[in-house]
Amino acid sequence: MTSLAPETPASRQWPTWCSYRIGALPLPVFLPLFAAIALLTTTHSLTNDLSIMIATLATGGFFCAWLGGIVPALRRLGAPAIVAAFLPSYLVYRHWLPDNLVDTVTAFTKGTNFIYLYITAIIVGSILGMDRRLLLRGIVKIFVPLIVGSIAALLLASLAGIVIGVPLSKAIPMIIVPVMAGGVGEGAIPLSLGYSEIFHQSSADILSHLLPVVLFANLVAILLAGILNSLGRRYPALTGNGELDTASVEFLKQSTSTSTEAHPLTIEIVLSVLLYAISLYLFGLLSHQFLALPAPITMLVLAVLFKLSNILPTWFDHAAALVGRFFAVGVTYPLLFAVAIAMTPWASVKEALQPQSLLLITLVVLTLTLTGFFVGRWMGLFPIESALINACHTGAGGTGNVAILTASERLGLMPFAQIATRIGGAITVTLTLLILRLLAGGH
């Protein structure tokens, strides 16, 4: 009679090669996923069912991130985020991806808008994970570098436009303002509609000129974010590694070392936090319907108000931070992969590659980022974090913020990035259209 020997921990270990990861996935998980998606695609059996799309986006997103991270020097410059955000778009443009995969991913991405679930989880997790006093002080402090940076970028880029022969009537409304307008949905599209009324041109034609400006500005911001991340690694005194100032770092140390209260995180708690975050977004949708306020802005304000009210228990904050971390690790690169296929036309990116436009776009992003670095330092903020928040003012909306903060490895700054992008962009668009209407009326 044969007896079964008890299993030892060593007997259940994977071989060393199995521990190699493609993105977040070890090879024994990635390879079956890749094979299954490839077979479904070649047999035209790929559908936009949720389970299939999770596998498809995870496979594509983590593979792109892995490609971008092969070279260590490029990885530190944000190459994984850049590759995931732009390589799929190029492959679609060259028709090197199967049509049924492109069509299915596009239908799923546009039909579900799951980017809003991602941003909701990241924002709520980041806000609830902060000390409320530090959160309030951070919101107040970031506006000074943003305002100074926006004014400096406008003046320097306008002067540069004059020097290289770009008239101000083109440089300001068609290049400089779109870079700081808050992305596509809240920036380029409202601008195109407003410009069409003021200049009596087709809004579609105007949008075709604004879109590549926004996309290229986002690419420059991602590159700068990677450079800032490398700078922070080399000079640790310049960064709080995702915390805004020294007070935040000290609080984090104290809370980590002195916290003895432990509350077990159950599945029910995590589910409650996720649905709490979704409820805030739903109220944002209602505000958009009845008050015409952008849903992410309302969601952000509600999350901040709940945090400042101090009515949520500590264990709820810890669970929210866990939810945010899960989305940061598990959803970021699949999301970038999906958006690159469905919403980033490579033809529009190519249109932005005109030397004069490139120079002005780069100057705007660089000026905002450098101003954030130095003014933030003067304000008592860590200069790298302040520079990143200013860089997010030039991002392509929520997706742009994801790519920028992923390249810098500081997704915890998402609430402040959303303020820079959404509120900063709304102010930029409103003031621009108001001034242009006044000037047009004057003529």
Side-chain angles (χ1 to χ4, degrees):
M1 184 175 179
T2 304
S3 62
L4 295 176
E7 287 185 329
T8 63
S11 67
R12 294 183 61 83
Q13 295 297 319
W14 272 339
T16 303
W17 68 268
C18 290
S19 298
Y20 186 81
R21 291 180 178 272
I22 303 295
L25 303 178
L27 274 181
V29 176
F30 177 84
L31 292 178
L33 277 178
F34 185 88
I37 297 303
L39 288 172
L40 286 171
T41 302
T42 55
T43 59
H44 297 277
S45 302
L46 197 70
T47 66
N48 60 1
D49 291 351
L50 181 60
S51 56
I52 294 178
M53 282 296 97
I54 289 175
T56 303
L57 301 185
T59 301
F62 289 130
F63 182 72
C64 287
W66 173 77
L67 283 178
I70 290 177
V71 180
L74 295 179
R75 181 174 65 245
R76 290 191 290 270
L77 294 177
I82 294 173
V83 172
F86 289 97
L87 177 61
S89 173
Y90 178 75
L91 296 179
V92 172
Y93 173 76
R94 299 289 297 184
H95 299 286
W96 289 348
L97 287 179
D99 290 340
N100 61 326
L101 186 145
V102 173
D103 294 341
T104 304
V105 170
T106 300
F108 176 80
T109 304
K110 293 184 176 181
T112 60
N113 276 332
F114 75 100
I115 182 176
Y116 292 113
L117 174 62
Y118 173 89
I119 293 174
T120 298
I122 292 290
I123 287 179
V124 173
S126 299
I127 288 177
L128 295 188
M130 296 180 188
D131 177 73
R132 59 195 183 96
R133 294 162 298 176
L134 300 179
L135 173 64
L136 183 59
R137 188 169 67 218
I139 290 175
V140 172
K141 278 189 172 184
I142 66 172
F143 275 108
V144 175
L146 272 174
I147 294 171
V148 175
S150 298
I151 295 173
L154 175 64
L155 294 177
L156 286 178
S158 298
L159 180 60
I162 294 173
V163 171
I164 63 177
V166 180
L168 290 180
S169 59
K170 176 186 177 183
I172 293 178
M174 302 305 292
I175 299 175
I176 300 172
V177 168
V179 172
M180 301 185 289
V184 178
E186 288 81 14
I189 291 177
L191 279 176
S192 67
L193 295 174
Y195 288 171
S196 68
E197 295 178 2
I198 296 170
F199 301 133
H200 306 291
Q201 299 177 14
S202 166
S203 60
D205 291 341
I206 295 174
L207 182 61
S208 68
H209 289 86
L210 299 183
L211 185 60
V213 172
V214 172
L215 294 176
F216 184 76
N218 194 69
L219 175 59
V220 175
I222 296 171
L223 289 169
L224 288 177
I227 293 172
L228 287 169
N229 187 36
S230 295
L231 186 65
R233 291 175 182 271
R234 185 162 186 175
Y235 302 101
L238 297 177
T239 179
N241 295 310
E243 301 297 328
L244 278 180
D245 53 20
T246 53
S248 301
V249 174
E250 289 302 318
F251 172 81
L252 186 63
K253 289 180 180 177
Q254 293 174 9
S255 63
T256 302
S257 60
T258 63
S259 177
T260 57
E261 178 185 356
H263 194 288
L265 293 180
T266 64
I267 297 297
E268 291 80 6
I269 289 176
V270 174
L271 178 62
S272 298
V273 169
L274 182 58
L275 290 176
Y276 161 80
I278 292 174
S279 71
L280 296 186
Y281 177 67
L282 295 181
F283 279 109
L285 291 178
L286 290 172
S287 74
H288 179 70
Q289 181 176 351
F290 294 108
L291 304 175
L293 295 174
I297 289 294
T298 302
M299 177 190 65
L300 178 65
V301 170
L302 289 175
V304 170
L305 290 177
F306 272 109
K307 179 63 179 181
L308 296 180
S309 69
N310 206 28
I311 61 176
L312 297 174
T314 303
W315 58 263
F316 199 89
D317 293 347
H318 293 164
L322 177 64
V323 170
R325 179 63 180 162
F326 168 79
F327 275 81
V329 173
V331 185
T332 297
Y333 291 115
L335 170 67
L336 292 176
F337 177 80
V339 171
I341 288 178
M343 303 168 63
T344 310
W346 187 258
S348 296
V349 178
K350 282 180 58 182
E351 286 184 23
L353 304 181
Q354 302 296 323
Q356 290 179 320
S357 297
L358 287 181
L359 178 62
L360 294 183
I361 294 169
T362 303
L363 184 60
V364 172
V365 180
L366 187 61
T367 302
L368 261 164
T369 305
L370 289 176
T371 304
F373 186 96
F374 291 106
V375 175
R377 191 172 193 175
W378 175 71
M379 290 286 297
L381 302 172
F382 283 113
I384 286 179
E385 275 67 24
S386 180
L388 285 168
I389 292 169
N390 264 27
C392 286
H393 186 29
T394 67
T399 307
N401 287 340
V402 173
I404 293 167
L405 296 182
T406 300
S408 65
E409 300 180 357
R410 287 165 175 81
L411 274 169
L413 293 175
M414 182 63 79
F416 302 112
Q418 287 288 308
I419 291 172
T421 304
R422 307 289 183 178
I423 297 179
I427 293 173
T428 301
V429 171
T430 302
L431 288 178
T432 299
L433 295 179
L434 179 62
I435 292 171
L436 287 177
R437 284 194 178 100
L438 291 175
L439 292 176
H443 291 295

